[in-house]
Amino acid sequence: MDKTNVYEVDVAEKTFNDITSYNFYITDNKEIKKGDYILFRVVVKDEKGETSYTGTNAMLIVNNVNDTFAGLAENHSVVFLNKI
């Protein structure tokens, strides 16, 4: 039986908005599979380059993973997501 994993991914606010609007994410992580969870967290960098969390986040479940799209960078996959 496969284990369900939870991944944490830090993203910029625009990327977060795109992911939660369109329900997909492009990644080079080949371990992600259907049924896994991804916690997307919004981060910002200050003028010193230090990262901090804004408190905005979303947990989504992986519906499907596809690496056969034309034009997709080598070793990357499109992860289709569903809201929980």
Side-chain angles (χ1 to χ4, degrees):
M1 185 169 148
D2 285 334
K3 180 177 108 173
T4 299
N5 296 303
V6 177
Y7 296 92
E8 294 178 356
V9 179
D10 295 338
V11 295
E13 185 174 10
K14 180 180 181 342
T15 302
F16 178 85
N17 291 338
D18 289 345
I19 291 167
T20 55
S21 293
Y22 302 116
N23 295 320
F24 76 88
Y25 172 66
I26 297 173
T27 182
D28 62 351
N29 184 334
K30 292 294 186 182
E31 296 179 16
I32 295 175
K33 65 188 177 321
K34 182 176 181 172
D36 284 346
Y37 294 90
I38 304 177
L39 174 64
F40 293 97
R41 302 183 300 186
V42 176
V43 297
V44 293
K45 288 193 178 191
D46 63 19
E47 55 278 348
K48 295 178 185 174
E50 295 181 18
T51 302
S52 61
Y53 297 103
T54 65
T56 304
N57 61 62
M59 176 79 77
L60 303 172
I61 189 168
V62 176
N63 182 44
N64 191 17
V65 179
N66 187 316
D67 61 1
T68 62
F69 281 96
L72 193 60
E74 187 175 340
N75 295 320
H76 283 70
S77 299
V78 178
V79 177
F80 293 95
L81 303 158
N82 285 333
K83 294 180 172 82
I84 298 176

